[in-house]
PDB file of all heavy atoms in Angstrom:
ATOM      1  N   HIS A  34       4.464   0.059  24.460  1.00  0.00           N
ATOM      2  CA  HIS A  34       5.841  -0.390  24.621  1.00  0.00           C
ATOM      3  C   HIS A  34       6.537  -0.345  23.272  1.00  0.00           C
ATOM      4  O   HIS A  34       5.900  -0.335  22.218  1.00  0.00           O
ATOM      5  CB  HIS A  34       5.896  -1.809  25.194  1.00  0.00           C
ATOM      6  CG  HIS A  34       5.320  -2.851  24.277  1.00  0.00           C
ATOM      7  ND1 HIS A  34       3.962  -3.056  24.138  1.00  0.00           N
ATOM      8  CD2 HIS A  34       5.920  -3.744  23.439  1.00  0.00           C
ATOM      9  CE1 HIS A  34       3.741  -4.029  23.264  1.00  0.00           C
ATOM     10  NE2 HIS A  34       4.923  -4.466  22.822  1.00  0.00           N
ATOM     11  N   GLU A  35       7.835  -0.286  23.327  1.00  0.00           N
ATOM     12  CA  GLU A  35       8.615  -0.276  22.086  1.00  0.00           C
ATOM     13  C   GLU A  35       8.656  -1.673  21.509  1.00  0.00           C
ATOM     14  O   GLU A  35       8.976  -2.646  22.210  1.00  0.00           O
ATOM     15  CB  GLU A  35      10.025   0.218  22.380  1.00  0.00           C
ATOM     16  CG  GLU A  35      10.871   0.400  21.133  1.00  0.00           C
ATOM     17  CD  GLU A  35      12.194   1.068  21.441  1.00  0.00           C
ATOM     18  OE1 GLU A  35      12.373   1.547  22.572  1.00  0.00           O
ATOM     19  OE2 GLU A  35      13.050   1.103  20.526  1.00  0.00           O
ATOM     20  N   ILE A  36       8.295  -1.792  20.227  1.00  0.00           N
ATOM     21  CA  ILE A  36       8.247  -3.105  19.567  1.00  0.00           C
ATOM     22  C   ILE A  36       9.674  -3.590  19.343  1.00  0.00           C
ATOM     23  O   ILE A  36      10.474  -2.904  18.693  1.00  0.00           O
ATOM     24  CB  ILE A  36       7.488  -3.024  18.240  1.00  0.00           C
ATOM     25  CG1 ILE A  36       6.079  -2.453  18.472  1.00  0.00           C
ATOM     26  CG2 ILE A  36       7.401  -4.407  17.601  1.00  0.00           C
ATOM     27  CD1 ILE A  36       5.213  -3.272  19.381  1.00  0.00           C
ATOM     28  N   SER A  37       9.970  -4.773  19.850  1.00  0.00           N
ATOM     29  CA  SER A  37      11.313  -5.332  19.671  1.00  0.00           C
ATOM     30  C   SER A  37      11.477  -5.906  18.277  1.00  0.00           C
ATOM     31  O   SER A  37      10.493  -6.221  17.584  1.00  0.00           O
ATOM     32  CB  SER A  37      11.570  -6.426  20.715  1.00  0.00           C
ATOM     33  OG  SER A  37      10.706  -7.530  20.495  1.00  0.00           O
ATOM     34  N   TYR A  38      12.736  -6.070  17.883  1.00  0.00           N
ATOM     35  CA  TYR A  38      13.024  -6.649  16.567  1.00  0.00           C
ATOM     36  C   TYR A  38      12.481  -8.075  16.478  1.00  0.00           C
ATOM     37  O   TYR A  38      11.926  -8.471  15.461  1.00  0.00           O
ATOM     38  CB  TYR A  38      14.529  -6.628  16.332  1.00  0.00           C
ATOM     39  CG  TYR A  38      14.941  -7.122  14.961  1.00  0.00           C
ATOM     40  CD1 TYR A  38      14.958  -6.271  13.861  1.00  0.00           C
ATOM     41  CD2 TYR A  38      15.321  -8.456  14.758  1.00  0.00           C
ATOM     42  CE1 TYR A  38      15.319  -6.713  12.604  1.00  0.00           C
ATOM     43  CE2 TYR A  38      15.689  -8.910  13.504  1.00  0.00           C
ATOM     44  CZ  TYR A  38      15.685  -8.035  12.435  1.00  0.00           C
ATOM     45  OH  TYR A  38      16.060  -8.487  11.193  1.00  0.00           O
ATOM     46  N   LYS A  39      12.610  -8.830  17.576  1.00  0.00           N
ATOM     47  CA  LYS A  39      12.138 -10.206  17.589  1.00  0.00           C
ATOM     48  C   LYS A  39      10.628 -10.263  17.416  1.00  0.00           C
ATOM     49  O   LYS A  39      10.100 -11.077  16.653  1.00  0.00           O
ATOM     50  CB  LYS A  39      12.555 -10.891  18.892  1.00  0.00           C
ATOM     51  CG  LYS A  39      12.091 -12.341  19.001  1.00  0.00           C
ATOM     52  CD  LYS A  39      12.551 -12.960  20.316  1.00  0.00           C
ATOM     53  CE  LYS A  39      12.059 -14.409  20.431  1.00  0.00           C
ATOM     54  NZ  LYS A  39      12.489 -15.022  21.710  1.00  0.00           N
ATOM     55  N   ASN A  40       9.910  -9.389  18.162  1.00  0.00           N
ATOM     56  CA  ASN A  40       8.466  -9.367  18.066  1.00  0.00           C
ATOM     57  C   ASN A  40       8.016  -8.986  16.661  1.00  0.00           C
ATOM     58  O   ASN A  40       7.083  -9.580  16.096  1.00  0.00           O
ATOM     59  CB  ASN A  40       7.919  -8.353  19.080  1.00  0.00           C
ATOM     60  CG  ASN A  40       6.402  -8.286  19.090  1.00  0.00           C
ATOM     61  OD1 ASN A  40       5.780  -7.726  18.192  1.00  0.00           O
ATOM     62  ND2 ASN A  40       5.796  -8.874  20.125  1.00  0.00           N
ATOM     63  N   ALA A  41       8.689  -8.003  16.060  1.00  0.00           N
ATOM     64  CA  ALA A  41       8.355  -7.581  14.694  1.00  0.00           C
ATOM     65  C   ALA A  41       8.615  -8.698  13.698  1.00  0.00           C
ATOM     66  O   ALA A  41       7.835  -8.907  12.755  1.00  0.00           O
ATOM     67  CB  ALA A  41       9.157  -6.332  14.317  1.00  0.00           C
ATOM     68  N   ALA A  42       9.714  -9.418  13.890  1.00  0.00           N
ATOM     69  CA  ALA A  42      10.045 -10.522  12.986  1.00  0.00           C
ATOM     70  C   ALA A  42       8.995 -11.632  13.069  1.00  0.00           C
ATOM     71  O   ALA A  42       8.580 -12.199  12.045  1.00  0.00           O
ATOM     72  CB  ALA A  42      11.429 -11.073  13.310  1.00  0.00           C
ATOM     73  N   VAL A  43       8.557 -11.941  14.295  1.00  0.00           N
ATOM     74  CA  VAL A  43       7.554 -13.003  14.477  1.00  0.00           C
ATOM     75  C   VAL A  43       6.236 -12.626  13.808  1.00  0.00           C
ATOM     76  O   VAL A  43       5.665 -13.407  13.040  1.00  0.00           O
ATOM     77  CB  VAL A  43       7.331 -13.270  15.973  1.00  0.00           C
ATOM     78  CG1 VAL A  43       6.107 -14.185  16.179  1.00  0.00           C
ATOM     79  CG2 VAL A  43       8.570 -13.912  16.593  1.00  0.00           C
TER      80      VAL A  43
END
Side-chain angles (χ1 to χ4, degrees):
H34 65 282
E35 186 172 350
I36 305 298
S37 66
Y38 183 84
K39 180 180 179 181
N40 182 285
V43 170

